[in-house]
């Protein structure tokens, strides 16, 4: 490396400058490589390529540890360590070193969503490296997660405070419950061997304190844990004082707790019966079924259990059905069917009515499985499941089964299933009567089975429209507050076929594209009619089916209709994210709500999905109204060059809007990068004049080059001109799609 003496100087006696490079310093390879790695790592770091930056900084750190005194490289070791730590946190890497401090391990765990944090705290309980203030701050950070990790971090901090003899302010009564109590005792036993004599005395005093202030459950857990081995005979007597008279009761409580835990985790019918036989000697029926709040069953089955003579059979059936319902919610359908079959076997010789209700639950499990994964169970094909559904629906009108009727949830699932498999003729011939679920299914089926013929569908569509209108009707109700003021509340009208939330649940389970398109069309038309805003009309299929006016629109909740439209569109796009008509409807809704960036995204997604990424004609999805909406979106987003380009897409070029947008000084798009997408010579000539007026000669030259392209010659044939237009349209729409989607 050259030094000052290496450079020659110019004087009156010299004709040229001569440098002596031999006087420079020799740089060790380690220093040179370390400096390059540091600079390269800094470059990658600010390019957000943290993986490569981490490799450079790690190698640089290793080389710097071998350099005692640097002559060339100028590297701040503290800054280098910070870079290494930041890279590992940003990339959520596992720290490869074995000699890291506990602080570094905690920070890496924090970057990995607190993975392995408890093991680090266990290690700190023995080493005591982390200050208590840092651990308290960590506890507050973990609190935002809101799971069991927070409770265990609190217990680790309680243990550390107790070791140091400091005051514990935590709510120990709520912390030391159930499994957390056993976890805390395990922590105590692990840390005792690493404590000083003073710390051991502090922990023993803390245990005596807990033994006095907490319930007998803590004493039971304490004497059955390894912690009790750490006390001598005199200390054991001090622990046992005050609990001797309660020992038989405590022992029975401990046995009952064990049985409760076995009942909670067991999902095998045979093991469940064995555990229940033992539990019935310790608890009654109500205590058993109230062990878990999740063990709820339908009221029809709950009333039917009263006819069972034996408590074991009653409790077993209750638990089998309740656990099966929980497994259905977890989508574990095979285990759920096994439990329901066992429940049916347990009661079919005792109560026909109860057995019938359990079989309905088995049908519900099959229907939810079909809705979730699209197939029926292994033992039943779709045709067999259809027969079961028809039998269930027929039971609603069978005279001999009036007292064994399926629950509304099951009827709703049956209706949705029949709609999704296009059994519209069967549903259309059913008499709904007083059952609103069957009636709404019949009305939807009547419309679907005659589509796409619009003329013959108008009558059925009008009936469906009136039914949907009644579902969203509201009634104003006056309510006087404590201060005497009167508030107006909106209540759901009781005249609807079904409650609004049940109607929403049906919409959320639809799968068939025709059904979804029909309901989107109905609700979007209702939404447009209620808003009565000609500038934000919503396009959809079958829009001519529905009436154009409402007789009592003031009594329909616009907000609830809007929520329903958004919900059914979310459901539809989940079924098929590339359906161009649904995307267009979603875009129109976003446009009406002022969400212009989202509207552009859905417009362009619909265009690219229907034209193979704009390689085919887009006239089926993009019409004049769509282009005008896109122009307004770009204008609100201050993308004025995009506005000018889109003005060419209209049937009649909107020169007024195009020229006005090009005059805007503040623009948030790529500006002159879009000039090669303009084919209208009038717009190009206006750009030439505009840039000349502003003195922007480079941009003016670019426009002149665009005008001089042979493709834009007005003497070309119509076919050549259309080819040039299609080429520029596709290029522009693809660039827009990259920006907004």
């Amino acid at each position: 490396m050259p030094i000052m003496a290496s450079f020659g100087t110019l004087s009156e006696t010299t004709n040229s400058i001569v440098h002596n490079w031999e006087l420079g310093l020799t740089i060790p390879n380690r220093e040179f490589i370390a400096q390059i790695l540091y600079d390269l790592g800094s470059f990658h770091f600010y390019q957000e390529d943290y993986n490569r930056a981490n490799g450079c900084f790690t190698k640089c750190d290793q080389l710097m540890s071998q350099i005692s005194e640097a002559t060339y490289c100028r590297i701040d070791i503290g800054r280098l360590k910070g870079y290494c730590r930041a890279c590992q946190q940003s990339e959520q890497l596992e720290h490869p070193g074995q000699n890291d401090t506990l602080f570094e391990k905690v920070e890496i765990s924090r970057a990995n969503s607190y993975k392995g944090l408890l093991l680090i705290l266990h290690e700190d309980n023995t080493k005591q490296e982390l200050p208590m203030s840092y651990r308290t701050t960590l506890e507050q950070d973990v609190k935002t997660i809101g799971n069991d990790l927070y409770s265990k971090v609190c217990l680790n901090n309680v243990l550390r405070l107790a070791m140091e003899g400091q005051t514990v302010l935590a709510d120990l009564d709520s912390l030391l419950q159930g499994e957390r109590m056993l976890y805390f005792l395990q922590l105590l036993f692990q840390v005792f061997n690493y404590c000083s004599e003073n710390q051991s005395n502090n922990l023993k005093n803390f245990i005596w304190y807990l033994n006095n202030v907490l319930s007998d459950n803590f004493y039971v857990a304490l004497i059955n844990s390894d912690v009790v081995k750490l006390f001598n005979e005199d200390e054991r007597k001090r622990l046992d004082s005050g609990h001797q008279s309660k020992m038989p009761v405590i022992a029975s409580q401990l046995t009952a707790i064990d049985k409760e835990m076995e009942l909670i985790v067991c999902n095998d019918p045979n093991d469940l019966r064995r555990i229940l036989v033992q539990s019935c000697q310790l608890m009654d029926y109500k205590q058993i079924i109230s062990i878990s709040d999740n063990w709820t069953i339908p009221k029809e089955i709950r009333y039917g259990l009263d006819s069972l003579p034996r408590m074991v059979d009653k409790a077993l059936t209750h638990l089998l059905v309740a656990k099966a319902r929980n497994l259905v919610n977890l989508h574990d359908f095979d285990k759920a069917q096994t439990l329901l079959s066992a429940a049916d076997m347990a009661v079919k010789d005792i109560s026909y009515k109860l057995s019938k209700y359990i079989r309905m639950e088995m049908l519900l499990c099959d229907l939810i499985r079909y809705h979730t994964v699209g197939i029926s169970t292994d033992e039943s094909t779709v045709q067999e499941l259809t027969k079961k559904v028809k039998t269930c629906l027929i039971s609603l009108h069978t005279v001999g089964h009036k007292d064994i009727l399926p629950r509304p949830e099951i009827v709703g699932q049956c209706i949705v299933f029949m709609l999704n498999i296009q059994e519209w003729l069967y549903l259309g011939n059913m008499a709904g009567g007083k059952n609103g679920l069957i009636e709404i299914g019949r009305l939807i089926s009547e419309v679907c089975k005659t589509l796409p013929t619009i003329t013959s569908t108008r009558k059925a569509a009008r009936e469906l429209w009136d039914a949907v209108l009644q579902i969203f009707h509201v009634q104003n109700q006056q309510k006087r507050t404590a201060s005497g003021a009167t508030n107006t509340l909106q209540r759901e009208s009781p005249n609807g076929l079904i409650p609004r939330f049940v109607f929403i649940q049906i919409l959320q389970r639809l799968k068939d594209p025709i059904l979804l398109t029909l309901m989107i069309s109905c609700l979007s038309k209702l939404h447009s009619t209620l808003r009565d805003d000609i500038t934000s009309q919503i396009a959809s299929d079958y829009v001519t089916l529905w009436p154009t006016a409402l007789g009592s629109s003031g009594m329909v909740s616009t907000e609830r209709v809007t929520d329903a439209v958004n919900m059914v569109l979310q459901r539809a796009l989940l079924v098929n994210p590339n359906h161009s008509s649904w995307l267009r409807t979603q875009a129109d809704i976003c446009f009406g709500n002022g969400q212009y960036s989202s509207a552009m995204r859905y417009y362009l997604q619909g265009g690219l999905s229907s034209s193979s990424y704009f390689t085919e004609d887009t006239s089926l999805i993009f019409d004049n109204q769509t282009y005008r909406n896109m122009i307004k979106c770009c204008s609100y987003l201050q993308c004025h060059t995009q506005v000018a380009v889109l003005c060419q897409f209209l049937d009649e070029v909107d020169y007024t809007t195009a020229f006005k947008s090009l005059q805007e000084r503040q623009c948030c798009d790529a500006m002159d990068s879009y000039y090669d997408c303009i084919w209208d010579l009038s717009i190009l000539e206006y750009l030439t004049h505009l840039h000349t007026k502003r003195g922007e000669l480079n941009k003016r030259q670019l426009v002149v080059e665009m005008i001089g392209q042979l493709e834009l010659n007005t003497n070309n044939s119509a076919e050549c001109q259309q080819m040039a237009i299609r080429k520029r349209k596709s290029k522009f729409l693809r660039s827009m799609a990259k920006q907004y989607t």
Side-chain angles (χ1 to χ4, degrees):
M1 181 180 69
I3 59 176
M4 290 300 299
S6 302
F7 298 98
T9 59
L10 183 63
S11 65
E12 66 278 3
T13 60
T14 58
N15 294 325
S16 62
I17 302 176
V18 179
H19 305 294
N20 188 359
W21 304 118
E22 295 181 358
L23 298 177
L25 296 177
T26 302
I27 304 173
N29 290 338
R30 291 176 181 174
E31 288 192 45
F32 186 71
I33 295 174
Q35 186 67 52
I36 292 178
L37 287 172
Y38 182 80
D39 295 337
L40 186 60
S42 301
F43 170 77
H44 289 312
F45 184 86
Y46 290 106
Q47 290 292 321
E48 298 184 4
D49 190 352
Y50 300 115
N51 194 14
R52 290 184 177 180
N54 182 65
C56 293
F57 286 133
T58 302
K59 293 178 182 178
C60 179
D61 188 24
Q62 294 173 356
L63 289 174
M64 290 303 296
S65 63
Q66 302 173 11
I67 299 173
S68 57
E69 184 177 354
T71 58
Y72 166 72
C73 62
R74 296 293 182 264
I75 298 175
D76 186 346
I77 301 299
R79 191 177 184 86
L80 176 62
K81 295 288 186 182
Y83 273 133
C84 292
R85 193 173 301 159
C87 289
Q88 291 159 1
Q89 292 179 9
S90 300
E91 278 294 304
Q92 296 187 352
L93 300 173
E94 292 292 338
H95 201 290
Q98 298 294 329
N99 300 320
D100 300 320
T101 64
L102 290 178
F103 174 79
E104 292 173 336
K105 292 181 179 180
V106 170
E107 292 302 317
I108 294 172
S109 173
R110 192 198 297 268
N112 286 274
S113 301
Y114 299 102
K115 181 180 179 181
L117 177 62
L118 293 178
L119 295 177
I120 300 172
L121 293 180
H122 295 172
E123 184 178 355
D124 184 62
N125 290 338
T126 58
K127 295 183 178 179
Q128 302 174 26
E129 290 183 7
L130 298 176
M132 198 60 220
S133 58
Y134 178 76
R135 291 181 54 148
T136 304
T137 304
L138 183 64
E139 176 185 325
Q140 296 301 319
D141 293 340
V142 176
K143 187 176 182 180
T144 58
I145 299 179
N147 56 15
D148 191 52
L149 177 64
Y150 171 68
S151 300
K152 292 185 176 180
V153 171
C154 290
L155 291 175
N156 277 275
N157 287 347
V158 167
L159 177 63
R160 177 69 178 276
L161 290 171
M163 288 173 58
E164 297 177 357
Q166 299 184 32
T167 304
V168 178
L169 300 177
D171 185 5
L172 299 174
D173 194 25
S174 59
L175 275 177
L176 296 174
Q177 295 290 337
E179 295 181 357
R180 295 194 296 269
M181 184 186 299
L182 302 178
Y183 173 77
F184 182 68
L185 292 173
Q186 184 180 5
L187 287 179
L188 282 170
F189 182 74
Q190 291 174 352
V191 81
F192 250 104
N193 294 330
Y194 300 92
C195 292
S196 64
E197 183 178 355
N198 185 37
Q199 291 175 338
S200 299
N201 293 332
N202 289 337
L203 286 178
K204 289 182 179 180
N205 289 330
F206 185 65
I207 293 173
W208 282 321
Y209 166 74
L210 294 178
N211 188 47
N212 292 330
V213 300
L214 297 181
S215 63
D216 292 332
N217 292 334
F218 179 79
Y219 173 72
V220 173
L222 179 62
I223 62 175
N224 286 278
S225 68
D226 294 330
V227 178
V228 75
K229 300 176 182 178
L230 304 173
F231 293 86
N232 56 38
E233 186 175 353
D234 294 336
E235 293 170 339
R236 281 287 305 274
K237 291 180 180 179
R238 182 178 174 184
L239 285 174
D240 295 338
S241 60
H243 293 280
Q244 294 297 332
S245 59
K246 301 179 182 179
M247 285 304 295
V249 178
I250 292 174
S252 63
Q253 290 177 352
L254 183 61
T255 305
I257 292 174
D258 291 340
K259 295 304 175 185
E260 289 179 3
M261 294 299 298
E262 292 181 14
L263 288 173
I264 290 174
V265 300
C266 180
N267 284 326
D268 182 81
N270 296 327
D271 293 341
L272 201 59
R273 176 181 286 275
R274 175 181 55 80
I275 299 169
L276 276 173
V277 171
Q278 301 171 358
S279 300
C280 288
Q281 301 174 4
L282 303 172
M283 297 174 282
D284 58 18
Y285 170 70
K286 290 186 177 180
Q287 289 177 322
I288 291 175
I289 64 174
S290 62
I291 290 175
S292 175
D293 295 335
N294 295 325
W295 290 351
T296 58
I297 60 175
K299 62 179 181 180
E300 296 86 358
I301 297 179
R302 189 170 67 250
Y303 295 153
L305 291 176
D306 296 337
S307 62
L308 299 184
R310 296 177 57 197
M311 189 179 77
V312 174
D313 293 334
K314 187 185 300 186
L316 177 64
T317 306
H318 185 111
L319 264 61
L320 288 172
V321 175
K323 285 176 173 287
R325 287 165 58 87
N326 291 334
L327 290 172
V328 169
N329 293 333
L330 297 173
H331 295 172
D332 193 346
F333 301 105
D334 292 331
K335 287 185 179 180
Q337 284 286 15
T338 301
L339 296 181
L340 289 172
S341 300
D344 184 38
M345 291 292 294
V347 302
K348 68 177 183 179
D349 296 333
I350 304 174
S351 173
Y352 169 78
K353 183 177 180 180
L354 189 57
S355 176
K356 188 74 173 178
Y357 282 129
I358 293 176
R359 290 177 186 175
M360 289 180 183
E361 294 298 317
M362 296 172 68
L363 174 60
L364 178 62
C365 178
D366 282 340
L367 293 173
I368 295 177
R369 174 190 290 215
Y370 180 85
H371 169 72
T372 305
V373 297
I375 57 173
S376 60
T377 58
D378 296 335
E379 63 178 349
S380 167
T381 62
V382 174
Q383 291 77 13
E384 291 173 345
L385 185 56
T386 305
K387 292 179 181 178
K388 292 180 182 180
V389 169
K390 290 181 178 179
T391 303
C392 179
L393 294 177
I394 291 174
S395 66
L396 292 169
H397 304 286
T398 304
V399 178
H401 294 82
K402 287 295 183 181
D403 56 338
I404 310 179
L405 299 177
R407 294 186 291 115
E409 181 185 0
I410 300 176
V411 177
Q413 288 281 4
C414 291
I415 295 297
V416 172
F417 172 77
M418 297 294 281
L419 288 172
N420 282 329
I421 64 172
Q422 298 188 354
E423 283 282 349
W424 300 329
L425 184 62
Y426 180 85
L427 284 177
N429 294 330
M430 290 192 68
K434 296 182 179 180
N435 194 307
L437 288 167
I438 293 182
E439 182 64 18
I440 199 70
R442 185 189 70 80
L443 293 175
I444 296 175
S445 300
E446 285 288 347
V447 180
C448 289
K449 70 181 183 182
T450 53
L451 285 175
T453 307
I454 301 296
T455 305
S456 58
T457 313
R458 290 189 183 277
K459 182 180 178 181
R462 179 69 196 210
E463 294 178 356
L464 177 60
W465 173 270
D466 292 337
V468 173
L469 203 61
Q470 286 295 325
I471 290 174
F472 288 97
H473 262 235
V474 293
Q475 294 179 345
N476 292 332
Q477 182 177 348
Q478 303 292 331
K479 183 177 181 181
R480 190 176 298 276
T481 62
S483 61
T486 302
N487 290 337
T488 302
L489 303 177
Q490 285 191 344
R491 302 286 187 183
E492 188 173 328
S493 174
N495 299 325
L497 289 176
I498 53 177
R500 182 176 59 89
F501 78 92
V502 177
F503 181 66
I504 297 298
Q505 288 177 351
I506 291 177
L507 296 180
Q508 288 176 329
R509 299 180 185 129
L510 295 180
K511 283 185 174 182
D512 186 77
I514 298 177
L515 290 170
L516 288 168
T517 303
L518 177 69
M519 298 315 300
I520 289 173
S521 174
C522 176
L523 292 173
S524 60
K525 179 63 177 179
L526 180 58
H527 179 269
S528 298
T529 307
L530 288 171
R531 294 191 62 168
D532 194 20
D533 185 1
I534 194 172
T535 62
S536 59
Q537 291 295 313
I538 301 176
S540 63
D541 296 337
Y542 312 134
V543 70
T544 57
L545 278 176
W546 316 108
T548 57
L550 298 176
S552 57
S553 60
M555 297 300 292
V556 178
S557 174
T558 306
E559 294 79 8
R560 296 178 182 181
V561 173
T562 303
D563 292 340
V565 173
N566 290 327
M567 185 281 307
V568 72
L569 276 170
Q570 289 177 3
R571 169 61 185 169
L573 293 176
L574 187 64
V575 173
N576 184 2
N578 298 319
H579 197 289
S580 58
S581 176
W582 299 343
L583 289 167
R584 165 75 184 275
T585 304
Q586 180 68 72
D588 286 342
I589 290 177
C590 292
F591 177 77
N593 294 332
Q595 301 168 344
Y596 301 113
S597 180
S598 298
M600 287 296 295
R601 181 173 75 252
Y602 287 116
Y603 280 133
L604 292 166
Q605 282 181 351
L608 65 88
S609 64
S610 63
S611 62
S612 299
Y613 207 73
F614 302 115
T615 58
E616 301 173 1
D617 186 23
T618 59
S619 59
L620 295 177
I621 185 66
F622 286 164
D623 55 13
N624 242 26
Q625 185 59 45
T626 304
Y627 286 131
R628 291 196 179 278
N629 290 350
M630 294 172 68
I631 288 171
K632 290 181 181 179
C633 289
C634 292
S635 180
Y636 282 115
L637 296 172
Q638 296 186 350
C639 299
H640 301 295
T641 313
Q642 294 177 0
V643 171
V645 178
L646 284 171
C647 286
Q648 304 173 110
F649 287 61
L650 299 172
D651 295 339
E652 295 183 4
V653 181
D654 189 352
Y655 291 111
T656 303
T657 304
F659 294 163
K660 184 179 179 181
S661 63
L662 290 174
Q663 291 174 2
E664 296 289 342
R665 290 279 188 175
Q666 185 176 0
C667 193
C668 298
D669 57 23
M671 301 179 69
D672 50 331
S673 297
Y674 291 126
Y675 287 175
D676 58 351
C677 299
I678 299 176
W679 63 86
D680 189 276
L681 292 178
S682 298
I683 296 178
L684 289 172
E685 289 172 355
Y686 180 79
L687 279 171
T688 306
H689 163 72
L690 187 65
H691 290 314
T692 303
K693 182 179 178 181
R694 293 177 178 176
E696 299 169 344
L697 300 182
N698 291 335
K699 293 183 179 181
R700 176 186 177 278
Q701 184 61 32
L702 179 62
V703 177
V704 171
E705 292 176 1
M706 296 298 107
I707 295 176
Q709 290 180 335
L710 295 178
E711 293 177 323
L712 301 182
N713 194 323
T714 55
N715 295 323
N716 290 343
S717 63
E719 183 180 355
C720 291
Q721 292 181 13
Q722 288 299 319
M723 186 179 300
I725 292 174
R726 285 196 299 269
K727 174 184 174 183
R728 285 160 175 77
K729 275 187 175 181
S730 299
K731 182 178 181 180
F732 177 71
L733 290 174
R734 288 194 196 105
S735 67
M736 295 272 283
K738 289 180 180 179
Q739 177 181 348
Y740 290 103
T741 62

